[in-house]
């Protein structure tokens, strides 16, 4: 064998076999052949960034955790309704044809039972963003789909009623709505509510728990604080009701009295949902206490659970088999909100008598053993409270939309005073919009707020499920506004995306970002999200009330002279207030830095609050004061 052949074979062996791992090979030029002796042979494609598993059969190709509902002919992919709308709302994709995905019902039932994904994991363990973190995911999915498809009005229903699903009746709407309407507290329950508020007022729970570097472990501190609060409650109950207090102190066992404490805490949660302006300093302590009590370690040390489901109108009626009361023709009359504006006293009294008669009739008609007339009346009053909530919180959005359409043209402005155009850097604005773009941006924001407030009770129910979930932990983090509990909110986020999709479809186009912050430094958890959106009426209601008083102010000769001198006429005064709010209440301002706020979903609300904080510097501020304005946190 020739020496040439030996050398060529040696080169082939050298190329086939990686170079040995030594100092000489490391310092050499041929780095590609160097391999550590302990390195294992990696599977093919391990380092490819785009290497990922396909979505499970029957699920959305985008979010991968919701059943597919639509098949896009052009993309050849299956989407859920929310993801399809998000991916196909702009450009040439808007023209893509779709068809319903066949076999949806079977896929939904499979998904509810924890179907297996492509990589062998069940839906229950796919991640913190999946909707199947709790056991009631099947109902949540169906409810979310109803919310997405419910857009058309129902004849004969209360103002603002929307169909839960296509082809439904007013009774179906009431049944679906009653699932998230808490029962109004009785007189006896309100006594315990006052005791709970008193105990929470003196408690330093969040000060002791949400701190860094404390002595005891966090679990032991939590248990100590919960036991201390329960002891305070027991003492207050003993002072208020000696017989009930004696029962609590008979065995001095917290575990034996678990049901009592669960009821007390449930009273507070139910009262807060029905009255968002109440318990503003104590509800946060309560929900954080219950959140900590759900962790497995605390449960073991505490030996009982502090959480029980919220008592709703639907659960009470369902337990006694009288859901038909919600489908009765009299339900709309028995629960309707009676308006007084622009109506005579005779008409108002007539409506009151009709409502009272309808309540008495329904209570007598559906009385059952174990369900008295007073309990049925309590259910009807609770639904009426929900209508009152909608009137106070949602209707100002409708009034502002009406003002926008009345005083401003959608595409062009008559003059500079009627122009809604804004420019970045001018007047504190961070966005640059011409008149037509800003008009669309404002009406979109108000429509989204209206839809959010319309489903606020549903959102609140999902928010509590996220906050009190054992499967979604939180982490204490400095978000720039102090230490906050940052926690993912998959159910609330999913519902909010459904509401956003509904608002986008009702308008037809979308200006600005559609990002929903939840579980980050902007909106740390579902409690912050709910608190933020429950304040919308505090912004809009004082503005609407001031605008409605301008005409009556102008009837006074001295005030009319002031309005004419400053603004030209009452109508010009109204237009100037509206123009300033529609410009700078929606200009992307208000954040502590350049990267937050902007045109995202939550940034629109931040801009509105920033406008409120600058109201005293506006030249029309005296008009607010003359109209009885106290503040955006005052009583109206």
């Amino acid at each position: 064998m020739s020496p040439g052949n030996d050398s060529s074979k040696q080169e082939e062996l050298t190329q086939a076999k990686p170079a040995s791992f030594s100092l000489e090979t490391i310092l050499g030029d041929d780095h590609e052949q160097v391999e550590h002796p302990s390195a294992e042979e990696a599977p093919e494609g391990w380092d490819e960034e785009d290497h990922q598993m396909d979505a499970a059969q029957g699920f959305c190709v985008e979010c991968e955790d919701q059943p597919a509902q639509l098949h896009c002919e052009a993309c050849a992919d299956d989407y859920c309704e929310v993801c399809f709308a998000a991916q196909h709302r702009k450009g040439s994709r808007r023209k893509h044809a779709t068809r319903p995905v066949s076999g949806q019902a079977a896929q939904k039932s499979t998904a509810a039972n924890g179907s297996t994904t492509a990589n062998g994991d069940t839906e229950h363990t796919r991640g913190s963003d999946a909707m199947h973190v709790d056991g009631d995911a099947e109902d949540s999915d169906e409810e979310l789909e109803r919310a997405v498809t419910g857009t058309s009005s129902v004849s004969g229903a209360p103002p603002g009623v929307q169909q839960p699903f296509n082809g439904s009746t007013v009774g179906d709407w009431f049944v679906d709505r009653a699932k998230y309407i808490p029962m109004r507290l009785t007189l006896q329950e309100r006594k315990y509510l006052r005791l709970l508020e008193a105990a929470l007022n003196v408690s330093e729970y969040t000060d002791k728990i949400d701190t860094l570097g404390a002595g005891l472990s966090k679990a032991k501190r939590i248990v100590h604080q919960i036991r201390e609060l329960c002891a305070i409650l027991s003492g207050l109950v003993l002072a208020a009701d000696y017989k009930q207090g004696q029962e609590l102190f008979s065995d001095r066992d917290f575990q034996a009295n678990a049901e009592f404490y669960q009821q007390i805490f449930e009273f507070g949660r139910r009262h807060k949902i029905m009255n968002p302006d109440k318990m503003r300093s104590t509800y946060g302590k309560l929900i954080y206490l219950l959140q900590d009590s759900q962790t497995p370690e605390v449960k073991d040390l505490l030996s009982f659970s502090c959480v029980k489901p919220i008592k709703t109108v639907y659960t009470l009626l369902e337990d006694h088999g009288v859901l038909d009361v919600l489908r009765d023709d009299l339900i709309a009359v028995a629960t309707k909100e009676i308006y007084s504006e622009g109506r005579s006293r005779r008409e108002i009294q007539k409506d009151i008598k009709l409502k009272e008669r309808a309540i008495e009739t329904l209570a007598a008609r559906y009385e059952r053993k174990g369900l008295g007339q007073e309990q049925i009346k309590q259910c009807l009053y609770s639904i009426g409270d929900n209508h009152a909530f909608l009137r106070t919180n949602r209707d100002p959005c409708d009034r502002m939309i009406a003002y926008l359409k009345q005083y401003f043209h959608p595409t062009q402005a008559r003059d500079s005073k009627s122009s809604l155009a804004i420019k970045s850097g001018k007047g504190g604005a961070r966005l640059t919009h011409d008149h037509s773009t800003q008009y669309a941006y404002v009406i979109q924001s108000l429509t989204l707020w209206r839809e959010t407030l319309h489903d606020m009770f549903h959102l609140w129910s999902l928010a509590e499920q996220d906050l009190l979930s054992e499967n979604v932990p939180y982490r204490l983090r400095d978000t720039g506004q102090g230490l906050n509990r940052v926690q993912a909110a998959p159910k609330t986020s999913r519902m909010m995306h459904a509401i956003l999709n509904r608002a986008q479809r009702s308008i037809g186009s979308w200006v600005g970002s559609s990002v929903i912050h939840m579980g980050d430094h902007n909106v740390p958890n579902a409690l912050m999200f709910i608190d933020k959106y429950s304040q919308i009426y505090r912004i809009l209601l004082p503005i609407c009330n001031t605008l409605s008083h301008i005409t009556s102010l102008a009837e006074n000769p001295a005030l009319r002279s002031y309005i004419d001198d400053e603004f030209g006429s009452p109508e010009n005064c109204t237009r100037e207030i509206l123009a300033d709010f529609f410009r700078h209440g929606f200009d992307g301002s208000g954040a502590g830095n350049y990267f937050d706020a902007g045109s995202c979903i939550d940034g629109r609300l931040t801009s509105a609050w920033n406008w409120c904080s600058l109201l005293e510097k506006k030249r029309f501020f005296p008009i607010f004061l003359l109209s009885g304005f106290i503040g955006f946190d005052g009583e109206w």
Side-chain angles (χ1 to χ4, degrees):
M1 187 178 293
S2 63
N5 292 336
D6 291 340
S7 61
S8 61
K9 286 184 178 182
Q10 186 67 27
E11 290 178 1
E12 291 177 2
L13 290 172
T14 304
Q15 293 176 358
K17 183 178 180 181
S20 60
F21 192 78
S22 64
L23 180 62
E24 181 180 356
T25 55
I26 292 174
L27 298 177
D29 295 331
D30 194 7
H31 294 169
E32 295 182 358
Q33 297 297 329
V34 179
E35 182 177 342
H36 195 277
S38 62
E40 298 180 359
E41 185 174 354
E44 183 179 356
W46 68 274
D47 60 344
E48 296 179 7
E49 293 183 359
D50 59 347
H51 183 76
Q52 58 185 356
M53 305 302 293
D54 296 331
Q57 182 67 28
F59 284 84
C60 173
V61 71
E62 185 68 22
C63 64
E64 299 185 2
D65 65 356
Q66 295 300 313
Q69 298 166 294
L70 298 172
H71 177 79
C72 180
E73 301 284 359
C75 302
D77 287 325
D78 296 338
Y79 296 90
C80 67
E81 197 161 348
V82 175
C83 291
F84 177 82
Q87 294 291 324
H88 293 75
R89 65 186 182 88
K90 288 184 177 181
S92 59
R93 282 195 168 198
R94 296 181 63 183
K95 302 178 181 178
H96 286 188
T98 62
R99 60 176 172 79
V101 175
S102 59
Q104 266 189 14
Q107 293 167 7
K108 286 178 186 175
S109 62
T110 306
N113 293 326
S115 64
T116 305
T117 62
N119 59 0
D121 296 331
T122 61
E123 281 298 312
H124 183 75
T125 58
R126 297 190 76 158
S128 60
D129 292 334
M131 285 296 295
H132 297 269
V133 292
D134 288 333
D136 55 353
E138 181 179 2
D139 293 338
S140 299
D141 289 340
E142 293 177 0
E143 291 153 6
L144 294 172
E145 289 173 18
R146 294 176 188 174
V148 171
T149 57
T151 53
S152 56
S153 298
V154 182
S155 60
V161 168
Q162 294 178 319
Q163 282 185 240
F165 49 90
N166 293 331
S168 65
T169 63
V170 178
D172 295 326
W173 183 89
F174 275 102
V175 170
D176 188 77
R177 190 81 178 174
K179 294 177 182 178
Y180 312 105
I181 298 178
M183 286 290 296
R184 180 194 280 190
L185 296 181
T186 62
L187 181 61
Q188 184 65 25
E189 291 171 343
R190 291 180 187 276
K191 293 180 180 179
Y192 289 117
L193 172 68
R194 287 194 287 272
L195 299 181
L196 174 64
E197 288 192 84
L200 290 171
N201 275 324
V202 300
S203 172
E204 297 179 344
Y205 183 83
T206 49
D207 297 335
K208 299 286 182 66
I209 302 302
D210 292 343
T211 56
L212 300 176
L216 294 173
S217 69
K218 187 169 183 179
K220 290 182 179 179
R221 280 185 285 138
I222 290 171
V223 171
H224 176 73
Q225 290 298 317
I226 292 176
R227 288 181 179 273
E228 184 178 282
L229 181 67
C230 291
I232 294 172
L233 275 173
S234 301
L236 292 174
V237 170
L238 179 64
D241 188 340
Y242 185 76
K243 184 177 180 180
Q244 177 72 37
Q246 283 291 95
E247 294 177 4
L248 293 177
F249 281 95
S250 59
D251 49 11
R252 294 180 176 272
D253 185 7
F254 291 107
Q255 185 177 359
N257 300 315
E259 185 177 354
F260 171 77
Y261 295 120
Q262 289 174 358
Q263 284 185 340
I264 292 280
F265 295 141
E266 191 265 344
F267 294 158
R269 293 161 56 201
R270 201 196 315 168
H271 179 69
K272 176 63 177 179
I273 296 174
M274 296 290 282
N275 306 273
D277 56 325
K278 305 294 185 182
M279 298 180 66
R280 299 183 65 187
S281 61
T282 54
Y283 179 73
K285 292 181 188 179
L286 173 61
I287 205 69
Y288 282 165
L289 180 148
L290 297 178
Q291 184 183 42
D292 289 333
S293 73
Q294 289 295 92
T295 58
E297 188 178 3
V298 173
K299 271 188 175 181
D300 291 340
L301 293 173
L302 200 59
S303 302
F304 72 93
S305 174
C306 299
V307 179
K308 65 177 293 187
I310 290 286
K311 184 180 180 182
T312 64
V313 173
Y314 183 89
T315 55
L316 178 64
L317 296 178
E318 185 184 36
D319 290 342
H320 295 86
V322 288
L323 283 176
D324 287 341
V325 67
L326 298 174
R327 299 187 177 92
D328 197 289
D329 293 338
L330 290 175
I331 186 70
V333 180
T335 60
K336 72 176 181 180
E337 181 79 359
I338 298 176
Y339 298 86
S340 60
E341 291 84 354
R343 305 177 64 202
S344 65
R345 188 176 186 86
R346 180 184 179 85
E347 291 175 333
I348 298 171
Q349 290 294 335
K350 181 181 178 181
D351 282 352
I352 292 174
K353 289 180 180 179
L354 285 174
K355 181 175 180 178
E356 291 175 348
R357 190 177 304 166
I359 291 173
E360 294 290 343
T361 303
L362 289 175
R365 184 180 299 172
Y366 293 96
E367 183 181 9
R368 298 287 189 276
K369 183 179 181 181
L371 183 69
Q373 293 190 19
E374 287 301 319
Q375 289 178 292
I376 296 177
K377 290 180 182 179
Q378 200 78 358
C379 292
L380 299 176
Y381 293 146
S382 301
I383 298 174
D385 291 342
N386 177 243
H387 294 335
F389 169 87
L390 293 178
R391 184 189 179 192
T392 304
N393 290 264
R394 184 198 62 193
D395 287 6
C397 295
D398 290 327
R399 291 167 64 183
M400 293 304 291
I401 292 173
Y403 279 131
L404 178 64
K405 294 179 179 179
Q406 178 183 352
Y407 287 95
F408 302 95
H409 194 274
T411 57
Q412 56 188 1
R414 293 185 303 176
D415 50 43
S416 59
K417 293 183 179 181
S418 300
S419 175
L420 300 179
I422 57 174
K423 187 175 182 180
S424 179
K426 186 176 180 181
R430 274 194 51 196
L431 305 175
T432 300
H433 289 161
D434 57 22
H435 173 81
S436 60
T437 304
Q438 182 68 3
Y439 182 97
Y441 182 74
V442 172
I443 201 169
Q444 288 169 6
S445 304
L446 292 172
T447 302
L448 178 64
W449 292 354
R450 183 202 180 280
E451 296 296 330
T452 303
L453 292 172
H454 181 76
D455 286 324
M456 179 56 76
F457 280 22
H458 190 173
L459 280 167
W460 208 307
S461 173
L462 296 176
E464 283 209 344
Q465 291 178 38
D466 285 327
L467 287 164
L468 305 179
S469 173
E470 302 177 18
N471 304 316
V472 186
Y474 71 86
R475 52 196 174 95
L476 203 61
R477 175 184 165 192
D478 187 357
T479 61
Q481 301 176 7
L483 289 174
N484 283 282
R485 300 187 177 197
V486 179
Q487 180 192 34
K491 295 185 177 182
T492 313
S493 178
R494 178 70 185 175
M495 180 65 188
M496 193 60 196
H497 277 91
I499 293 173
L500 174 62
N501 178 39
R502 190 170 68 205
Q504 288 174 337
R505 288 193 300 167
S506 67
I507 296 169
S509 62
W510 196 257
V511 176
S513 171
S514 56
V515 174
I516 299 174
H517 291 287
M518 205 173 300
D520 56 17
H521 72 282
N522 288 312
V523 184
N525 51 52
L527 173 63
M528 299 296 181
F529 172 82
I530 287 293
D531 181 68
K532 193 170 185 176
Y533 278 88
S534 63
Q535 308 301 319
I536 290 176
Y537 86 99
R538 294 184 180 274
I539 301 173
L540 300 183
L541 191 58
I543 300 174
C544 291
N545 288 339
T546 298
L547 295 174
S548 65
H549 280 87
I550 290 179
T551 303
S552 59
L553 289 176
E555 295 176 358
N556 185 304
L559 295 180
R560 178 59 186 259
S561 176
Y562 163 73
I563 293 174
D564 290 343
D565 291 342
E566 286 291 326
F567 307 100
S569 66
E571 184 178 359
N572 288 344
C573 178
T574 301
R575 182 178 283 107
E576 181 170 333
I577 295 173
L578 288 170
D580 193 84
F581 177 66
F582 291 150
R583 287 193 205 109
H584 298 292
F586 302 87
D587 61 1
S589 62
N593 57 66
Y594 186 80
F595 300 100
D596 294 334
S599 64
C600 64
I601 300 304
D602 302 284
R604 301 165 193 242
L605 194 52
T606 304
S607 302
W609 269 122
N610 185 58
W611 182 89
C612 296
S613 67
L614 301 174
L615 179 63
E616 294 180 3
K617 300 179 180 178
K618 309 290 184 180
R619 78 185 196 106
F620 46 75
F621 181 60
I623 299 295
F624 276 75
L625 296 178
L626 290 169
S627 302
F629 175 76
I630 302 173
F632 289 101
D633 202 21
E635 298 293 333
W636 284 83

